[in-house]
Amino acid sequence: MAARHRREHNRLLRRYLAKGADLRTFGQTDLDSIAHELNHRPRKTHGRRTPAEVYADLLNSSDTPTT
């Protein structure tokens, strides 16, 4: 199952970055924009919620271990 998720992530990245693209040619603003779009895109695996929503729920959860 992990391989399937990896392929899906690669497919999504290919919408923005060509295979073998040199990341040094992109500015930090470009990369931040790509990350924002990917992190705010609903995913089937998260019940159509975004990774950002899942992460926020985890941070706000009372089940979160404290140090």
Side-chain angles (χ1 to χ4, degrees):
M1 188 153 138
R4 180 173 55 99
H5 288 290
R6 190 170 32 255
R7 285 191 303 268
E8 176 65 12
H9 286 272
N10 285 341
R11 185 185 65 77
L12 292 172
L13 280 171
R14 296 290 170 251
R15 298 176 83 191
Y16 304 96
L17 306 169
K19 188 172 185 174
D22 184 356
L23 296 180
R24 294 176 291 188
T25 63
F26 293 89
Q28 188 61 51
T29 304
D30 298 323
L31 298 175
D32 289 345
S33 177
I34 292 168
H36 183 272
E37 287 191 38
L38 292 175
N39 287 329
H40 290 83
R41 180 181 186 275
R43 307 284 173 87
K44 183 178 178 181
T45 189
H46 295 312
R48 295 293 172 206
R49 297 184 317 153
T50 69
E53 291 170 331
V54 172
Y55 185 64
D57 287 349
L58 177 65
L59 292 177
N60 294 324
S61 170
S62 62
D63 297 335
T64 304
T66 58
T67 54

